């Protein structure tokens, strides 16, 4: 009986992960309601999903609100930048397609469509990047664009994962309870599975640039020996 309810039991572990995702989903939706906190809420959601994926989680609520607090200012600025970047070309494209299709040159429509796609790709990756890496706003945007367009098919899949639940729920309101429990955090967790390897490469490159050895490497022992000799 003790083994049945042990954290090592894969069934108990799976149910615990599902519960964590439900908590994350409800928290994220609630904190997106005031709008001004939406950026930090989305960032914290991705942060916790990545920690869960890597088995580095240490209490969902504690992790969530720590990330929320640490990233609030920059995530809020990024959120409103994204809103502006998304709204302007989307609105112009809507006007062109619905009202002035015959009078606007084709290349204008293509440029507006490309701008919307760029904004969507940027939206997909900017909050995951913000959740994992400390950087300036400009460099975060640059890194997000490079990451998104270096893996276009993967980014497109992530975009579909993020948009589809909201679109389906909007058309079938009977699914609203499921969206409240899983519609945001479950797609984010699946997205983490898709971009985790890319993040590991970025983390390795950043560590090498700062001279930080990989865990378990020979260099790590060299650094430890130096630290020991300095402390004597």
């Amino acid at each position: 009986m003790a083994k049945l309810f042990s954290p090592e039991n894969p069934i108990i572990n799976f149910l615990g992960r599902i519960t964590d995702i439900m908590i994350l989903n409800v928290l994220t939706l609630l904190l997106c309601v005031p709008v001004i906190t939406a950026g930090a809420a989305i960032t914290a959601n991705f942060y916790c999903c990545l920690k869960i994926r890597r088995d580095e989680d240490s209490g969902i609520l504690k992790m969530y609100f720590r990330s929320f607090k640490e990233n609030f200012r920059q995530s809020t600025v990024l959120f409103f930048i994204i809103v502006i970047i998304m709204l302007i070309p989307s609105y112009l494209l809507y006007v062109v397609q619905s009202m002035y299709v015959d009078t606007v040159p084709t290349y204008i429509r293509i440029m507006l469509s490309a701008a919307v796609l760029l904004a969507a790709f940027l939206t997909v990756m900017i909050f995951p990047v913000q959740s994992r890496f400390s950087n300036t706003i400009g460099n975060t945007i640059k890194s997000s664009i490079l990451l998104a367009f270096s893996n276009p098919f993967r980014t497109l899949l992530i975009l579909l994962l993020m948009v589809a639940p909201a679109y389906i729920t909007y058309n079938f309101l009977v699914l609203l309870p499921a969206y409240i429990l899983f519609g945001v955090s479950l797609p984010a967790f699946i997205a983490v599975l898709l971009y985790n390897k890319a993040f590991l490469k970025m983390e390795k490159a950043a560590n090498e640039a700062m001279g930080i050895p990989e865990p378990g490497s020979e260099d790590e022992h060299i650094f430890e020996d130096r630290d020991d000799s300095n402390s004597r």
Side-chain angles (χ1 to χ4, degrees):
M1 184 64 71
K3 290 183 179 180
L4 179 63
F5 295 100
S6 170
E8 302 300 324
N9 187 318
I11 297 176
I12 296 298
N13 187 52
F14 174 77
L15 292 175
R17 295 307 190 202
I18 293 295
T19 303
D20 289 341
I21 288 172
M22 290 169 58
I23 293 170
L24 281 177
N25 204 86
V26 174
L27 262 179
T28 302
L29 288 176
L30 285 175
L31 288 171
C32 281
V33 172
V35 180
I36 195 170
T37 58
I42 297 168
T43 299
N45 181 47
F46 279 109
Y47 175 82
C48 291
C49 286
L50 185 61
K51 287 293 185 180
I52 292 172
R53 165 63 182 83
R54 297 182 179 182
D55 291 321
E56 297 174 353
D57 50 311
S58 57
I60 287 298
L61 294 178
K62 179 181 177 182
M63 289 194 307
Y64 188 93
F65 285 108
R66 182 177 64 207
S67 175
F68 184 91
K69 180 180 178 181
E70 291 176 353
N71 292 288
F72 180 80
R73 180 181 297 179
Q74 191 153 315
S75 293
T76 302
V77 174
L78 288 170
F79 176 77
F80 284 106
I81 290 174
I82 287 296
V83 168
I84 293 171
I85 291 174
M86 279 293 295
L87 282 181
I88 293 176
S90 297
Y91 176 74
L92 291 175
L93 183 63
Y94 169 77
V95 170
V96 165
Q97 296 285 38
S98 61
M99 299 175 64
Y100 304 108
V101 175
D102 297 330
T103 59
V104 177
T106 301
Y107 75 89
I108 296 293
R109 282 180 278 156
I110 293 174
M111 289 176 62
L112 288 173
S113 299
V116 172
L117 181 62
L118 173 62
F121 269 36
L122 178 59
T123 302
V124 165
M125 295 311 305
I126 197 163
F127 294 110
V129 169
Q130 173 63 28
S131 73
R132 185 59 186 146
F133 302 98
S134 296
N135 219 327
T136 63
I137 289 175
N139 283 334
T140 297
I141 293 173
K142 180 180 177 181
S143 297
S144 302
I145 293 173
L146 291 174
L147 185 61
F149 282 91
S150 63
N151 302 275
F153 296 108
R154 189 174 300 174
T155 304
L156 182 60
L157 179 57
I158 294 172
L159 178 61
L160 291 174
L161 282 170
M162 304 306 294
V163 172
Y167 178 80
I168 294 171
T169 303
Y170 177 78
N171 288 278
F172 302 95
L173 288 178
V174 68
L175 297 175
L176 184 60
Y179 184 81
I180 292 173
L181 294 177
F182 297 106
V184 175
S185 293
L186 184 57
F189 182 76
I190 298 172
V192 164
L193 301 180
L194 294 172
Y195 67 66
N196 183 49
K197 287 186 178 180
F199 270 31
L200 289 172
K201 291 180 181 179
M202 292 172 66
E203 291 164 18
K204 182 179 179 181
N207 288 340
E208 289 176 351
M210 294 186 292
I212 300 174
E214 292 186 62
S217 67
E218 293 182 3
D219 289 339
E220 182 183 30
H221 297 296
I222 293 172
F223 273 67
E224 287 176 354
D225 291 340
R226 288 176 180 173
D227 291 340
D228 290 341
S229 63
N230 288 336
S231 63
R232 289 170 185 164

